[in-house]
Amino acid sequence: GAVVSQHPSWVICKSGTSVKIECRSLDFQATTMFWYRQFPKQSLMLMATSNEGSKATYEQGVEKDKFLINHASLTLSTLTVTSAHPEDSSFYICSASNRQGYFTEAFFGQGTRLTVV
Amino acid sequence: GNSVTQMEGPVTLSEEAFLTINCTYTATGYPSLFWYVQYPGEGLQLLLKATKADDKGSNKGFEATYRKETTSFHLEKGSVQVSDSAVYFCALRGTQGGSEKLVFGKGTKLTVNP
């Protein structure tokens, strides 16, 4: 299967600072990328869907000014958590898909553990 | 809208036991169906998939058959190992293909004891 690399794997930051998480598709063109948040012992909550070159579509209840998503190229999407607070501490996971339909499944990054202190 | 209902865990088995994790779905048309596995502290890995009715996905001894008549995609393994301990997610993707979001079940935690 295709490889999606997410960086960093974990990060600790102070309240009020911003954190950027990168998601790269290493061997295919990711026309669509998805960002999820996962709380302990729970399923994945979709935060937003981004198509290359256009604005992200956010799920209801997700603050787009707080969780900035950029998908400027076919191999890179970034999620920036702005003015982070302890309640933003979570496991963030990205996934990538190819619109051309060769891959019907999504490929996932390894996740980023964010801890805000 | 599309939805996935997955057997709630946790499930605890002894090594070499038979595993079944039930998954049923609600969707229009003919969605693609998936099982993903998540090991502790990691992202999700695709375990198997099926894209049309009566397809059987299989990988690493796990199997699941796309049953349109019962709208089900139950995961089975004949003999589990300790290394199979993980959280398993059933998911579907609608007919719009790669640009459409996955809909996940809530996940089932499996623990296999030696």
Side-chain angles (χ1 to χ4, degrees), chain A residues 38-89:
Chain A
Q38 186 178 33
F39 294 99
K41 300 182 181 180
Q42 294 190 26
S43 188
L44 283 72
M45 181 191 80
L46 180 65
M47 299 174 67
T49 302
S50 73
N51 292 301
E52 184 264 339
S54 60
K55 290 185 178 180
T57 301
Y58 289 80
E59 296 296 302
Q60 192 172 9
V62 178
E63 299 176 62
K64 60 182 179 182
D65 294 331
K66 181 168 187 61
F67 298 100
L68 301 179
I69 291 172
N70 183 279
H71 190 172
S73 78
L74 285 169
T75 58
L76 174 64
S77 176
T78 60
L79 167 67
T80 301
V81 183
T82 62
S83 187
H85 288 93
E87 57 266 30
D88 299 324
S89 298

Side-chain angles (χ1 to χ4, degrees), chain A residues 38 43 97 104-106 110, chain B residues 36 38 43 49 93 98 101 105:
Chain A
Q38 186 178 33
S43 188
S97 292
T104 55
E105 68 267 38
Q110 69 269 40
Chain B
Y36 284 88
Q38 183 179 33
K49 67 176 183 178
R93 165 168 278 157
K101 64 184 180 183

Side-chain angles (χ1 to χ4, degrees), chain B residues 4 7 11 18-19 29 31 35 40 42 58 65 67-68 72 77-78 85 87 99 102 104 107 109:
Chain B
V4 174
M7 183 175 95
V11 174
F18 183 85
L19 168 71
W35 277 99
E42 298 183 13
S58 62
T65 301
R67 301 287 188 197
K68 182 70 174 175
S72 65
K77 186 174 186 180
S85 298
V87 180
S99 60
L102 282 166
F104 285 93
K109 183 177 181 179

